[in-house]
Amino acid sequence: ITPDGFPIGTLCVIDKEARTFSEEERTILKGLAKIVMDEIELRLAAIEETDKLTETNEKLEANNTELRDTQLSLNKGLERLSVSEERLRYIFKDAPVAISILIGRDLIIESANSKILEFWGQDESVIGKPLRVALPELEGMPVMQLFDDVFTSGIPFYSSELKSSLKRNNMLDEHFYNVVLQPLLNEAGEIHSIMLVATEVSELVNSKQEAQELNEELYTINEEMTSTNEELSQANEALASAQNELQEVVKNL
């Protein structure tokens, strides 16, 4: 469903035999469907940006290629989703989008796929640790409060271009992500954990910022040109007046 509320398609899982999805599997499907919609919106945004900056064309084209590859990989994963829970976990691990399951308010990392470990700059040794321990740079950042709010309210959190600073190669860098925080319920209907799904959109955000800076420069140049044109107009008026006076003098002579 688009941000404007228009349904444009469905995420479909087909098998030869009838089966009932667990609540966790339904939640994962909803999260994946939201990610697909995010990817579509990203591609539309990327196409609009190419009309503004020729210089960013190559970056956005590379990004679109990566998104198409991601979409193909995601479709292959969805075809295997209904085989069994073990197969589902296998897909979860190798999904081309960043996914992690965090248990309790302490946000114990129950599982994390290779993509999110790449975002974190960590390996599988962080599994079983609290998120604050695995990523100490997040301590005190607004994103930690978002997790607590979702755990308290039970309301999913969706955000586009969420800014977060993560340490990669021992350097703290600022990145932007499209993020879904989906609460997961246990059999008693209580919130047991939170599913984190994310895609990095730093290149797109940087391209937008470059386009905005260019537009501001063009606006400044236009203002300067307008001021120059006004001065030229005044000079032309003075010149016309001087020419009239000269013609009067010639006439008198």
Side-chain angles (χ1 to χ4, degrees):
I1 299 176
T2 68
D4 297 331
F6 293 99
I8 64 172
T10 59
L11 192 62
C12 183
V13 178
I14 300 177
D15 198 2
K16 294 182 179 180
E17 62 182 66
R19 64 179 69 247
T20 301
F21 283 123
S22 68
E23 186 63 28
E24 181 177 354
E25 290 170 337
R26 291 176 180 270
T27 301
I28 291 176
L29 282 176
K30 290 179 181 178
L32 292 175
K34 179 63 172 57
I35 288 298
V36 172
M37 192 65 249
D38 286 343
E39 300 294 352
I40 293 174
E41 291 297 316
L42 279 176
R43 292 180 64 185
L44 293 176
I47 293 173
E48 293 175 357
E49 289 301 323
T50 56
D51 295 334
K52 298 179 181 179
L53 277 179
T54 303
E55 190 174 324
T56 59
N57 233 351
E58 295 179 359
K59 295 180 181 179
L60 294 178
E61 182 60 28
N63 189 37
N64 282 339
T65 300
E66 181 180 351
L67 293 178
R68 285 194 293 269
D69 293 340
T70 298
Q71 187 67 43
L72 292 174
S73 300
L74 184 59
N75 288 338
K76 291 179 181 179
L78 290 175
E79 292 174 359
R80 304 192 300 268
L81 184 61
S82 61
V83 176
S84 66
E85 185 175 351
E86 286 301 320
R87 297 280 289 176
L88 182 63
R89 290 184 180 278
Y90 175 79
I91 296 169
F92 167 87
K93 181 178 179 181
D94 290 345
V97 294
I99 307 176
S100 178
I101 303 296
L102 307 168
I103 300 177
R105 289 189 180 274
D106 291 334
L107 303 176
I108 305 299
I109 303 173
E110 178 192 39
S111 55
N113 70 349
S114 57
K115 196 69 175 178
I116 202 163
L117 291 175
E118 177 186 337
F119 286 175
W120 290 345
Q122 300 287 343
D123 55 31
E124 293 185 352
S125 63
V126 300
I127 295 177
K129 297 180 180 179
L131 189 62
R132 287 180 173 85
V133 174
L135 302 173
E137 63 268 27
L138 293 181
E139 187 67 40
M141 290 189 179
V143 67
M144 299 304 293
Q145 184 62 45
L146 294 176
F147 281 106
D148 194 67
D149 291 343
V150 171
F151 205 95
T152 300
S153 66
I155 300 175
F157 172 81
Y158 304 96
S159 177
S160 298
E161 301 177 5
L162 179 68
K163 182 171 67 175
S164 181
S165 296
L166 293 174
K167 186 176 292 186
R168 297 181 184 176
N169 299 322
N170 295 321
M171 295 184 63
L172 194 63
D173 293 327
E174 185 180 90
H175 303 275
F176 296 87
Y177 303 91
N178 285 355
V179 174
V180 178
L181 301 181
Q182 179 69 46
L184 303 179
L185 306 180
N186 58 19
E187 295 179 356
E190 301 169 338
I191 298 176
H192 171 265
S193 56
I194 293 177
M195 180 175 64
L196 164 64
V197 183
T199 52
E200 184 169 1
V201 291
S202 298
E203 289 189 7
L204 179 60
V205 172
N206 292 333
S207 296
K208 287 182 179 180
Q209 291 176 348
E210 291 176 5
Q212 183 177 358
E213 291 173 358
L214 180 59
N215 288 334
E216 291 175 353
E217 291 179 4
L218 291 175
Y219 180 77
T220 301
I221 293 173
N222 287 334
E223 286 187 335
E224 293 176 353
M225 291 182 62
T226 300
S227 177
T228 301
N229 288 335
E230 291 177 353
E231 293 176 357
L232 288 175
S233 178
Q234 293 174 359
N236 287 334
E237 291 178 359
L239 179 61
S241 177
Q243 288 177 341
N244 291 335
E245 293 177 359
L246 180 60
Q247 290 175 359
E248 188 66 26
V249 171
V250 171
K251 180 179 179 181
N252 292 337
L253 289 175

